[in-house]
Amino acid sequence: MSQVRVRFAPSPTGFLHIGGVRTALFNWLFARQQKGIFILRIEDTDQSRSTNESIQAIIEGMKWVGLDWDEGPFRQTERMDLYRSHAMKLLEKGQAYWCVCRAEELEARRKEAEMKGLSPRYDGRCRRLGIRNPSGDAALRFKAPQEGHTVVDDLIKGKIVFDNNVLDDLIILRSNGYPTYNFSVVVDDALMSITHVVRGDDHLTNTPRQVPIFEALGFPIPRFGHLPMILGPDKTRLSKRHGATSIVAYKEMGYLPDAMVNYLARLGWSHGDQELFTREQLIEKFSWKNVQTSAAVFNPEKLLWMNAEYIKTSPPSQVAQALVPLLERAGLKNEIVAVSDEWLAQLVVLVKERAKTLVEMVDWVRPYFGQSVAVDEEAAKKFLAPAMAPILGKLLARFESFPTFSKQEWENCFKKFVEEEGMKMGQLAQPVRVALTGRTASPGLFEVMEILGRERTLVRLRKGIERAAQA
């Protein structure tokens, strides 16, 4: 068997849809498993809709989820001569013909056919004319087979039989010289030696149109596979009304790329009851026979759960690295510069059980940057009352007597002090928590002191005492 060569070939007409990312992922997993080649090809011949911004969004999205390509990115607009030369080969072989029908004529005939209950396909009148040198605008059409069947052994759906008598004589070269999708994709797949074409099942009707073009050009026909679409929770096609559909939007919402890859892999594919997979496991276990044949339903709650699991179990340094851009976006750029990578990773460990997304984590870690902290007014009113000032002052003096911070020593000191004062743990812990973090909820109090360090803990306690005294 020849080396596996697969491709992901998006059109740059908007953002990179998560359905496209799943298609790319399944191709990538197959290529990596088979030690094959994964190609990125940008299908940008639709000049009215393709934009450079969309191309950059595709590349950015692919890089974010870590789907690295071995060849490309190729752009169809840089390969125009190839399409035209192959179109001319079909013309010379008598397997294509010039069509001089005007657009308004074609539309009138289409409407007439529909009114009569006939197929709206092209009626083939120029096929019979044998025009060799058109004088005006002319499109080049492919002579589609009109009898027999096209059989596709689909990797996912199994054997599918198409009747050739319903095939249209497709335009392969428009009058402006630009190739159409169904022609350029065949030329590209053939010249790039693609062995497996795996794409969404919205392309299923294109396959019987493309197979005869492969045959007419004398190219090997690749194996085809068509992935069922992704539906929203209401079982309609996934769209913006269901929430974010752009892969980059999930980056901005604080999802980890490995969580997205894991979730999209499980969206229409399974391996027993296992939910969480490393990339290495996905590559090892992936198979087309375990791709489901019915549409997959996108479940935002399951994705959120999976992301939370990845935040908990991923290396803290990796999570910290992903957190940095969101911290900068939150206005903490100067504060990040002042801390080490190791300290930021420790901070992630402190809060990782409490955050389901990196956006939530930004909110949890905000109090630990800088010397001072913004204190919630309601929390201060409740826990930093005047009566607390002298008690906190005595606790501060105890802490100041320790020249260095030791979590165990300070915790023992705190418990002993509470006992001496005849208080309950929470009666003192909450005012201290508010003074240190500005909030009533935080990780363990002594873990908070540890991440703040001795000096910042003492500074914040002093400010908390001042606030209580002035209340």
Side-chain angles (χ1 to χ4, degrees):
M1 181 180 173
S2 60
Q3 184 184 38
V4 165
R5 291 176 62 86
V6 295
R7 49 54 162 196
F8 175 52
S11 297
T13 56
F15 56 76
L16 181 56
H17 193 280
I18 56 176
V21 177
R22 186 189 65 166
T23 298
L25 172 62
F26 284 9
N27 277 282
W28 183 87
L29 289 172
F30 183 57
R32 294 292 171 260
Q33 182 189 78
Q34 299 295 319
K35 304 292 190 290
I37 300 297
F38 177 63
I39 297 167
L40 177 59
R41 187 172 77 219
I42 307 296
E43 299 190 338
D44 60 344
T45 53
D46 186 347
Q47 291 294 284
S48 64
R49 299 176 62 214
S50 298
T51 66
N52 287 327
E53 291 79 12
S54 294
I55 293 174
Q56 289 308 308
I58 289 168
I59 291 172
E60 179 189 347
M62 292 285 285
K63 285 182 176 178
W64 180 62
V65 289
L67 300 184
D68 56 323
W69 50 91
D70 305 299
E71 296 178 13
F74 297 104
R75 291 182 62 168
Q76 287 188 324
T77 48
E78 297 170 351
R79 299 165 60 82
M80 302 301 289
D81 290 345
L82 289 170
Y83 310 132
R84 290 168 186 151
S85 66
H86 281 81
M88 290 304 106
K89 285 179 183 177
L90 291 178
L91 180 65
E92 291 163 11
K93 292 167 67 175
Q95 291 175 306
Y97 61 91
W98 290 111
C99 175
V100 294
C101 298
R102 298 196 308 274
E104 55 269 26
E105 293 173 341
L106 294 171
E107 180 62 18
R109 281 183 233 150
R110 187 187 65 79
K111 287 182 178 178
E112 183 181 349
E114 285 181 342
M115 287 177 62
K116 294 179 179 178
L118 302 174
S119 169
R121 64 182 179 155
Y122 179 62
D123 60 9
R125 65 182 62 190
C126 286
R127 181 177 186 148
R128 297 184 291 272
L129 296 179
I131 301 167
R132 298 301 301 172
N133 296 298
S135 56
D137 287 345
L140 194 64
R141 287 185 182 271
F142 174 67
K143 280 186 180 178
Q146 299 190 313
E147 54 186 36
H149 300 90
T150 296
V151 180
V152 175
D153 184 16
D154 196 279
L155 289 162
I156 296 155
K157 297 179 179 293
K159 185 178 179 181
I160 308 173
V161 179
F162 299 92
D163 286 330
N164 289 341
N165 60 13
V166 299
L167 293 180
D168 205 349
D169 281 357
L170 293 174
I171 291 176
I172 58 175
L173 214 58
R174 298 185 180 93
S175 58
N176 64 3
Y178 270 76
T180 56
Y181 166 78
N182 277 303
F183 184 65
S184 58
V185 75
V186 169
V187 174
D188 281 338
D189 286 342
L191 297 184
M192 293 178 184
S193 302
I194 300 300
T195 59
H196 299 73
V197 173
V198 181
R199 53 195 177 185
D201 64 6
D202 52 334
H203 286 284
L204 186 58
T205 55
N206 288 326
T207 301
R209 296 167 175 161
Q210 292 169 9
V211 167
I213 300 176
F214 276 102
E215 293 173 332
L217 287 169
F219 290 128
I221 300 169
R223 289 290 306 276
F224 288 92
H226 294 87
L227 298 167
M229 67 175 63
I230 300 175
L231 303 180
D234 60 356
K235 305 298 174 66
T236 61
R237 187 165 186 162
L238 189 67
S239 66
K240 288 181 180 178
R241 73 175 179 277
H242 298 114
T245 55
S246 160
I247 193 65
V248 176
Y250 284 91
K251 176 184 179 183
E252 294 169 353
M253 290 158 59
Y255 286 79
L256 292 173
D258 284 345
M260 288 302 303
V261 164
N262 192 155
Y263 180 73
L264 290 175
R266 284 287 292 110
L267 198 59
W269 171 85
S270 62
H271 181 79
D273 296 327
Q274 187 174 343
E275 290 286 358
L276 300 175
F277 297 83
T278 65
R279 288 198 190 221
E280 291 72 23
Q281 289 173 326
L282 286 173
I283 291 168
E284 178 194 345
K285 299 178 186 302
F286 183 78
S287 68
W288 296 118
K289 66 183 177 64
N290 288 333
V291 174
Q292 66 187 39
T293 56
S294 57
V297 177
F298 187 82
N299 185 336
E301 289 76 22
K302 185 172 181 180
L303 171 59
L304 189 62
W305 166 81
M306 192 168 283
N307 198 60
E309 291 300 306
Y310 269 83
I311 285 176
K312 291 174 192 172
T313 58
S314 297
S317 59
Q318 186 177 309
V319 178
Q321 187 178 11
L323 185 65
V324 168
L326 283 83
L327 292 170
E328 291 178 348
R329 196 172 74 190
L332 294 169
K333 188 170 185 176
N334 292 335
E335 286 81 355
I336 297 168
V337 174
V339 301
S340 67
D341 293 344
E342 292 76 15
W343 182 86
L344 196 55
Q346 287 178 328
L347 184 57
V348 165
V349 173
L350 188 68
V351 301
K352 65 180 183 178
E353 298 287 338
R354 296 168 177 266
K356 294 179 180 175
T357 69
L358 297 182
V359 169
E360 286 183 12
M361 186 173 280
V362 168
D363 187 57
W364 276 107
V365 302
R366 188 185 289 273
Y368 303 96
F369 290 94
Q371 289 296 315
S372 59
V373 65
V375 179
D376 178 76
E377 291 298 327
E378 287 298 314
K381 188 176 179 181
K382 184 173 181 180
F383 294 107
L384 295 180
M388 283 307 302
I391 299 171
L392 290 174
K394 290 196 309 190
L395 178 66
L396 175 65
R398 296 278 183 99
F399 284 163
E400 286 176 329
S401 68
F402 293 102
T404 58
F405 177 83
S406 161
K407 182 172 174 286
Q408 194 60 56
E409 283 183 342
W410 286 44
E411 186 171 356
N412 292 340
C413 169
F414 188 93
K415 290 177 179 177
K416 186 177 180 182
F417 179 78
V418 166
E419 190 178 330
E420 289 172 1
E421 294 294 321
M423 302 173 73
K424 292 181 179 176
M425 195 74 172
Q427 289 178 295
L428 186 58
Q430 279 299 76
V432 172
R433 179 174 281 109
V434 171
L436 296 183
T437 69
R439 305 174 180 186
T440 55
S442 78
L445 189 57
F446 302 100
E447 285 78 9
V448 167
M449 293 179 185
E450 188 172 35
I451 202 76
L452 287 174
R454 179 181 186 276
E455 294 309 316
R456 282 198 298 164
T457 296
L458 298 179
V459 166
R460 292 188 180 190
L461 263 179
R462 290 187 196 107
K463 290 186 176 180
I465 293 164
E466 289 173 16
R467 183 167 187 139
Q470 295 167 6

